Amino acid sequence: MSATRGDPALQALLLPFSDGDLAWPAGEVLFLRARAGAPLSGLPAPVMTCVQGFKPEADALEGAGFQVHATLDALGEGDAHWPLVLVLPPRQRDEARALFAEALARVRPGGVVVAAMANDAGARSGEADFTRLFGRVASRSKFKCRVFWGHGPGDAVLGRQWRALDAPRPVVGGRFTSRPGVFAWDRVDPASALLAEHLPDDLRGRAADLGAGYGYLSAALLERCPGIASLDVYEAEARALALARVNLAPFASRVALDFQWHDVAAGLPARYDTIVSNPPFHAQTRDARPDIGCAFIAAAAAALEPGGRLWLVANRHLPYESVLDASFGRVRLVAQRDGFKVIEAVRMGGADPGRRGGRR
C-alpha cells in the first residue's frame, strides 16, 4: 500500500514557511499524524519527531529518515518544549479536537502550531475549532485545502477538556471498548456483523484476523469456533490494535493471542488454517482504494495452508472476484445483504502463490 501518493494537505501545511509567513525554527519540530512526501524533502535540515499510528505511513516516514512513534505515550505527558508543532488532523471531529489539544499542550509558550486539512475533510469546522483553542489565528487556502496556525499558550482549560474527547470508552452496550477515530468506532459495522452471522463453527487451527479494528470479528470467531487454537490479530492502526488487546483479553486464558501492528498489504509473516477479514477499501485520505482489499486477499492466499479457508466480507460492488479466482482453488458466495457479500475461499494444495517464509 503506497503511503507516498500526492498529498495536497501536506503541501498546504508547509505553505506558511515556503511563502515566508513563518520562519522554520532552529530547534526540534513535532509532527502529529505525520505523513511522508516530497514537500518534506525541501525542509532546512529538520530535526523532526513524528507521531503516526498508521503502519504504512510510519514505515514511509522511517524510510525517509525520520524518527517515528506510533503513539504519543513515548513523548511523555504534555512535555511542552517544541517551538513548532505540525498537525495533519483526522476527519473525525472529536479525534481532531483532541489532537489540536495535544499540540497545544506540547508547544512551548510563544511557539507555533500549524495544521492543514482538505476542504472536503472538514477544513472549515477544523479551523473554527482551532480558533476556539488558540484565539487569534492566521490562515490560507490552496490545493483545495486550508492551512491555519496560531501561537501558544492558547486556552489551556479548553485544551484539557478536549484532550479527553477521544479517550477509550464502552460501546455496543458495554461489550467492547473503543474510541473516536477508529473504524466504526461506536457501533458494530454491518459488514462485519454479516460475516460474523455466517461464520461456520468448524473453523479451527491457527487463525488470523486481517484488519481487525477494535476486535469485533476476532471476538465473534473465538466465541463461535472452539477449534481455534491461536489467533494472530493484524491491524495497521496502532490505536485500534490497542483496543483489540483490551477487547480480546477475556479469551487469553484458552487461546494463544498475538497482536501485530502490521501492513497486511505487504504480506504476512506466518502460516494459517483460517483467516477472516473485512478489508479496508479506502486510504486514510478517504480516496477509494479497492487495490488494498485485493492485496489483503493475495496476502491471505499466500499465508494459508493447503485446505485453509478465507472468510471475507466486502461491499457488493468491489471487484474482488478476479483475484479470488486467481488465488484460490474454490470460491463460493455465501450470502448477500444490504449491499455486502460474504465469500468463502479455500486454498487448494500445490505450489504456494507468492509464499513467504515465516513461523509455522
Side-chain angles (χ1 to χ4, degrees):
M1 182 191 313
S2 173
T4 57
R5 296 183 173 210
D7 193 334
L10 180 60
Q11 289 181 279
L13 184 70
L14 299 178
L15 269 178
F17 305 99
S18 61
D19 289 356
D21 296 307
L22 294 172
W24 193 265
E28 294 185 14
V29 173
L30 177 63
F31 192 174
L32 303 180
R33 279 301 179 97
R35 296 198 292 264
L40 297 184
S41 64
L43 298 179
V47 179
M48 187 180 295
T49 297
C50 299
V51 179
Q52 174 55 263
F54 187 56
K55 183 63 169 166
E57 297 288 2
D59 288 345
L61 287 161
E62 287 187 339
F66 295 103
Q67 180 184 14
V68 185
H69 300 289
T71 68
L72 285 161
D73 296 343
L75 304 182
E77 181 62 29
D79 188 6
H81 74 268
W82 280 276
L84 170 64
V85 181
L86 303 173
V87 188
L88 287 174
R91 178 187 296 263
Q92 210 284 334
R93 194 168 190 179
D94 282 347
E95 186 189 2
R97 284 176 166 176
L99 201 64
F100 290 150
E102 288 288 353
L104 178 63
R106 295 172 189 280
V107 70
R108 71 171 53 156
V112 62
V113 176
V114 185
M117 302 177 74
N119 292 339
D120 61 1
R124 188 172 297 278
S125 60
E127 183 178 354
D129 288 340
F130 191 89
T131 302
R132 285 184 60 190
L133 196 60
F134 285 88
R136 187 176 178 181
V137 169
S139 67
R140 290 190 59 191
S141 180
K142 196 172 183 179
F143 309 125
K144 297 183 179 179
C145 299
R146 295 188 70 80
V147 55
F148 34 92
W149 60 96
H151 293 77
D155 188 335
V157 174
L158 182 61
R160 285 193 294 271
Q161 296 172 358
W162 279 10
R163 287 181 82 188
L165 286 177
D166 74 337
R169 67 201 69 177
V171 297
V172 194
R175 289 178 57 203
F176 298 97
T177 297
S178 188
R179 65 192 302 183
V182 173
F183 172 69
W185 77 271
D186 59 350
R187 62 194 185 279
V188 175
D189 170 64
S192 294
L194 182 64
L195 178 53
E197 178 185 331
H198 288 87
L199 285 176
D201 61 11
D202 64 345
L203 296 173
R204 60 185 60 253
R206 187 171 186 180
D209 182 355
L210 310 186
Y214 66 71
Y216 168 78
L217 258 182
S218 290
L221 177 69
L222 295 177
E223 287 169 352
R224 177 161 302 191
C225 304
I228 297 297
S230 66
L231 177 65
D232 288 355
V233 179
Y234 289 93
E235 174 54 48
E237 178 53 63
R239 297 167 80 250
L241 188 66
L243 296 165
R245 286 181 182 272
V246 173
N247 291 323
L248 298 177
F251 299 97
S253 61
R254 69 172 181 86
V255 177
L257 298 173
D258 192 22
F259 297 86
Q260 299 279 340
W261 185 44
H262 185 78
D263 178 11
V264 169
L268 300 177
R271 306 288 293 175
Y272 299 101
D273 305 296
T274 297
I275 293 178
V276 297
S277 186
N278 178 5
F281 59 95
H282 286 99
Q284 277 199 315
T285 56
R286 306 309 298 168
D287 295 330
R289 292 284 307 279
D291 60 298
I292 299 175
C294 291
F296 270 50
I297 293 167
L304 279 167
E305 299 284 6
R309 299 154 74 184
L310 168 66
W311 279 76
L312 173 85
V313 68
N315 284 44
R316 188 179 297 171
H317 72 275
L318 290 171
Y320 291 161
E321 281 70 18
S322 60
V323 67
L324 284 163
D325 291 339
S327 303
F328 290 89
R330 186 171 73 249
V331 178
R332 71 182 181 99
L333 178 65
V334 177
Q336 292 189 87
R337 191 174 71 211
D338 301 329
F340 303 110
K341 56 189 175 186
V342 172
I343 295 170
E344 181 193 34
V346 180
R347 172 86 166 82
M348 304 304 284
D352 294 346
R355 179 166 181 167
R356 303 176 188 272
R359 66 189 193 279
R360 292 178 63 92

